Amino acid sequence: MSFFEKILSINRFFLKSLPYLNQYISKYKGAYLIGFLFILLKNILIIIPIPYIGKAINEIENALNHPENNQEDFFQNILLYGSIIIFAPIFSGIFQFLMRQSIVVASRKIEFDLKNEIFKHYESLPQSFYKKNKTGDLISRISEDVGQSRMYLGPGIMYTMNLFSIIILVTYQMISINPEMSLYVLIPLPILSLLIFLISKTINIRSKLVQQQLAAISSFVQDSFSGIRVIKSYHTEEKIIKDYTLETKKYKNRSISMAAINAFFFPMIILIIGFSYLFILYVGGKKYALGEINDIGTIAQFFMYTSLLIWPFTVTGWVTSVIQRAEAAQKRINDFLQTDPQIQNHNPNPSKIEGTIEFKNVSFTYDNTGIQALKGISFKINKGQTLAILGKTGSGKTTIAELITRMYDIQSGSIEIDGEDIKKINLNDLRNSIGYVPQEAYLFSDSIKNNIGFGLNQSELTDEKIVNATKKAVIHDNIIHFQDGYDTILGERGVTLSGGQKQRISIARALIKTPKIYIFDDSLSAVDTETEEKILQNLTDSTQNTTTIIITHRISSAKNADYIIVLNDGKIIENGTHNALTSKQGYYNSLFLQQLST
Ligand SMILES: Nc1ncnc2c1ncn2[C@@H]1O[C@H](COP(=O)(O)OP(=O)(O)O)[C@@H](O)[C@H]1O
Ligand SMILES: [Mg+2]
């Protein structure tokens, strides 16, 4: 362990979560060490002129009292003292700039690293994690909590080092001039720190309440904008306005109570400083009168030393609360970073996937709700075949799709791809070889082109491939009629697509990947039957060698499949080909008859 690391490990005694950041501090230890050096130089240069101010005052006093003395010496001395008094602070200022440049810049770099580490971890976590945590919490961890930790890494560490170095330097100077007076000056300062700490704490509590209310207002506003159609059609504007006023009233009251405590802050500091000065004046004046101090310059020096200590002591109170907040924030970050990604790649070697899928007695329970979605499911489809899955909502169809993409791992039974356990297949290769069109077509706020090419590398993406895929998904003609064609931006500030258009773009996104396995989860539900027919025909033509799973409510989508399974309450209740199933008096047949008549 290097000396630097030994110093770092000291904070383990006081703090539990922040030492996690030691690895980062070590990474930028050059910047921190040089920053400490600048702090020291800055403080030395602040201290140097003070005795000269004292000397200059004594010199002037002397010259006034003894006009008969040599004027030349006087001017020479004043010029020398004056230069020191002017130039030392200038250089001190330069070092102060460099101190911030090194330490604050290092803290920004760590913030960058930390944000990336957290985001990378987010991406590795399974869907179940996102079901359990609120999006708002996840966002605040990567923005606000990281921000709090950065306050510790930058100003927190910087001001602490500053405090130590200036206290040591100033106290040493003061004691060497007059120990007793030093004591009087130093007594009120820790009280200043304590008060500032208590005020900062109250400010934090109140500012948190303000922040919470602000968040509540934002989500209220967001909700009312997104739902504006519903609000208008139900004619509930008045009520919404009233609710909004209530929320903003709360915000106003909290902000006022925050302003009250803030207003306390500076008068408090001035009061304590006033007391310190009063002490110096009283004690120093008395000593001068009694002849215990023989020049006024000493008293002037004490005034200046005190003023040097006030800011660092004020900041201590603030820094303590910064560290407390950072500790709490870092604890939340650490807890989250320790969350296991659960779904892990157990096979670093590439896996070649052909597309035969077999479920053997698979049961699966969602652990967040305890709902058993699948109960002893078994089926097999060979590569290149088409499987259709039918069943009521909630019967477990989507769950099967998510298990094949390994969004979850199963608790009993086994899933095999090409005869190999799914957990032993390279996870990236598995997901890369599946073109999954989820039930809820999600499109990013980006151009149509980028949405479709999402699964390909930029180098693989050509206009030809895109058009080819959109033609198969029967959406090309719609897109070229948009003003910006394939460059049309979707989402909030762009074009709003109909449900069926979204589904077809989502299908094109899967088709362009030319995967080994397709999964269409109810992907044609919002498409009219005529277009559905066309898309299905295109799919049959282009998926000859591709395993295809079609999850649907429509017999028309299922009837050409090689194999059909009907699910109910997590179990397979019927299975076979269209012909076999329509010759039985079951769920499939009744659905068939019902849909035939419409
Ligand atoms: N992420 C989830 N967490 C907890 N329960 C879920 C989740 N997804 C689905 N379920 C439950 O599992 C059952 C099967 O759901 P699903 O596979 O989506 O059915 P389907 O796609 O046939 O409508 C339902 O009871 C549903 O409430
Ligand atoms: Mg579903």
Side-chain angles (χ1 to χ4, degrees), residues 127 131 366 368-369 371-373 391-400 402 408 439 521 551 567:
Q127 271 198 33
K131 294 262 151 78
Y366 285 102
N368 56 333
T369 53
I371 292 174
Q372 187 175 15
K392 294 181 187 140
T393 37
S395 58
K397 304 184 296 295
T398 300
T399 306
I400 290 184
E402 307 231 297
Y408 300 91
Q439 191 162 12
D521 189 352
I551 295 171
L567 288 182

Side-chain angles (χ1 to χ4, degrees), residues 97-167:
F97 168 77
L98 292 174
M99 148 193 113
R100 298 189 134 266
Q101 275 300 300
S102 44
I103 296 181
V104 174
V105 166
S107 77
R108 287 288 180 194
K109 285 183 181 162
I110 297 179
E111 180 187 28
F112 170 81
D113 291 346
L114 202 56
K115 282 194 169 182
N116 282 302
E117 184 189 346
I118 294 175
F119 193 74
K120 197 170 159 202
H121 192 68
Y122 272 140
E123 294 293 294
S124 78
L125 290 170
Q127 271 198 33
S128 55
F129 172 82
Y130 288 91
K131 294 262 151 78
K132 273 182 232 157
N133 291 281
K134 281 195 278 180
T135 312
D137 288 345
L138 301 182
I139 294 174
S140 87
R141 210 145 301 174
I142 202 170
S143 55
E144 278 160 50
D145 285 347
V146 173
Q148 304 280 11
S149 291
R150 191 202 72 82
M151 287 300 281
Y152 157 76
L153 291 165
I157 290 181
M158 187 170 72
Y159 288 128
T160 309
M161 297 314 290
N162 186 45
L163 177 78
F164 281 122
S165 73
I166 197 124
I167 287 182

Side-chain angles (χ1 to χ4, degrees), residues 446-450 479 482-490:
D446 198 345
S447 65
I448 292 185
K449 192 172 166 181
N450 288 343
I479 295 173
F482 292 141
Q483 207 170 15
D484 296 324
Y486 279 91
D487 293 319
T488 305
I489 302 289
L490 303 177

Side-chain angles (χ1 to χ4, degrees), residues 53-116:
I53 296 174
K55 279 188 188 170
I57 291 172
N58 291 340
E59 197 77 33
I60 293 167
E61 192 199 11
N62 210 12
L64 289 176
N65 292 341
H66 307 278
E68 70 284 0
N69 281 1
N70 189 348
Q71 294 278 318
E72 197 125 317
D73 278 0
F74 169 73
F75 280 117
Q76 225 164 32
N77 285 341
I78 287 292
L79 194 68
L80 174 71
Y81 301 159
S83 321
I84 295 173
I85 292 165
I86 290 170
F87 285 108
I90 291 179
F91 284 106
S92 170
I94 293 174
F95 284 121
Q96 185 164 15
F97 168 77
L98 292 174
M99 148 193 113
R100 298 189 134 266
Q101 275 300 300
S102 44
I103 296 181
V104 174
V105 166
S107 77
R108 287 288 180 194
K109 285 183 181 162
I110 297 179
E111 180 187 28
F112 170 81
D113 291 346
L114 202 56
K115 282 194 169 182
N116 282 302

